[in-house]
Amino acid sequence: MTTSTERRVPRADCIADSAGGITFDIAGTSAPDAALVLKRSGGPGGVQDETRLPLTPTGEGSSRAVLPSTVELAEGRWEAYVGDEAVEPGIRDLRTLLDRTPDADRITVRVPYPTADGRLAVRCWVRAPHAEAGEIGLAPERGAMTVEGRLYGAELGEGAVAEARLRGSDKSHRAPVTGGDGGAFGFTLPYGPLAEQHLGKQELWDMWLRPTADAAWIRIARILDDIHDRKNIFVYPKLPSGDWLAAPCYTSDNELCVRLTAAP
């Protein structure tokens, strides 16, 4: 039984909008001077960034805070606090984040989610330009994967290529990229050239896109939906390639890779 002297742990229901804004309805606090504080660790020099959002009492011990899409948040993971107390996650309405096709060159994505230890956090991405991974296919007869996606903030032109880069080394392999309407792109990446360059028993190859011969490289990722960490959700079949097994995968930051593991 809760007594009048006991404090309720703040708990937030969240509504996200497609532009990057989030509304937090917080039960457990109604002080007129309270604020919702978003904290991100890992800034330059290990400095912790903070963003304070005023809390407006809404009655019955609850308050509301709004994170507008116009407020800048650096890319990363932001945990939510009221004072020194971590906020617990409540209901998260993320329906507007599904099947997004932004019309802006600068892509901002914010997804509220529960952390492993039961706290509320916001995963933020800021990409300009951005290469959004779409359908990932397998071509067993060619020992390859196929990738379709959409490019934002840049245009495909002569010399467009995708590149797989072996993490922690200077090894790489490129594949030509084809283009379509509305920034659509596609490519086929054979696993054989990656397996021939192996260095260990398990390897991760990061996927990049260069839209033209003289353009900067763009990391390929899938961020335009409601999934904050697709690493263990999107699992693809492995194909044999020599003494290796290869499969597409995503990192915990939703960036596209190829994982090679030694065949048993």
Side-chain angles (χ1 to χ4, degrees):
M1 179 176 179
T2 301
T3 68
S4 58
T5 59
E6 292 179 328
R7 296 190 63 184
R8 297 165 60 190
V9 175
R11 181 182 181 87
D13 294 338
C14 302
I15 301 176
D17 68 48
S18 60
I22 303 174
T23 299
F24 302 87
D25 285 321
I26 303 179
T29 180
S30 59
D33 58 347
L36 177 68
V37 183
L38 300 178
K39 299 181 179 182
R40 181 184 77 101
S41 299
V47 175
Q48 185 178 69
D49 294 337
E50 279 192 6
T51 294
R52 299 179 65 86
L53 305 173
L55 278 168
T56 302
T58 55
E60 298 184 357
S62 298
S63 298
R64 172 171 291 177
V66 177
L67 172 65
S69 59
T70 53
V71 171
E72 295 285 340
L73 284 185
E75 183 161 322
R77 300 178 186 274
W78 298 74
E79 292 193 350
Y81 293 85
V82 173
D84 295 328
E85 290 187 280
V87 177
E88 292 184 347
I91 298 170
R92 293 170 296 124
D93 185 349
L94 310 180
R95 289 173 293 177
T96 61
L97 302 183
L98 298 175
D99 301 321
R100 291 181 61 199
T101 52
D103 57 6
D105 292 343
R106 185 175 186 269
I107 304 300
T108 299
V109 178
R110 296 163 180 172
V111 182
Y113 71 96
T115 66
D117 58 356
R119 303 180 179 213
L120 175 66
V122 176
R123 180 62 172 97
C124 179
W125 287 272
V126 182
R127 301 287 169 97
H130 171 57
E132 175 77 359
E135 183 175 350
I136 309 296
L138 302 178
E141 70 285 354
R142 290 180 285 172
M145 74 172 185
T146 61
V147 178
E148 296 179 1
R150 189 168 299 276
L151 184 61
Y152 297 91
E155 294 184 0
L156 292 176
E158 186 175 352
V161 293
E163 182 171 270
R165 300 178 182 176
L166 178 57
R167 190 172 294 184
S169 86
D170 59 356
K171 295 182 180 294
S172 64
H173 179 72
R174 295 181 179 179
V177 170
T178 58
D181 295 336
F185 68 84
F187 61 88
T188 298
L189 180 74
Y191 294 140
L194 309 187
E196 292 170 1
Q197 303 183 67
H198 67 85
L199 295 176
K201 292 185 178 181
Q202 180 167 289
E203 299 177 350
L204 204 61
W205 294 72
D206 297 320
M207 296 304 308
W208 295 77
L209 176 72
R210 189 175 67 185
T212 63
D214 58 352
W217 290 95
I218 305 169
R219 188 69 167 94
I220 302 175
R222 186 167 181 177
I223 60 176
L224 294 177
D225 57 24
D226 63 338
I227 301 176
H228 73 279
D229 179 354
R230 58 196 344 111
K231 180 178 180 179
N232 297 317
I233 298 176
F234 280 56
V235 179
Y236 297 91
K238 299 176 182 178
L239 294 181
S241 184
D243 296 330
W244 289 79
L245 297 174
C249 65
Y250 286 98
T251 68
S252 58
D253 291 320
N254 289 1
E255 293 176 331
L256 182 62
C257 298
V258 176
R259 177 175 283 113
L260 267 67
T261 54

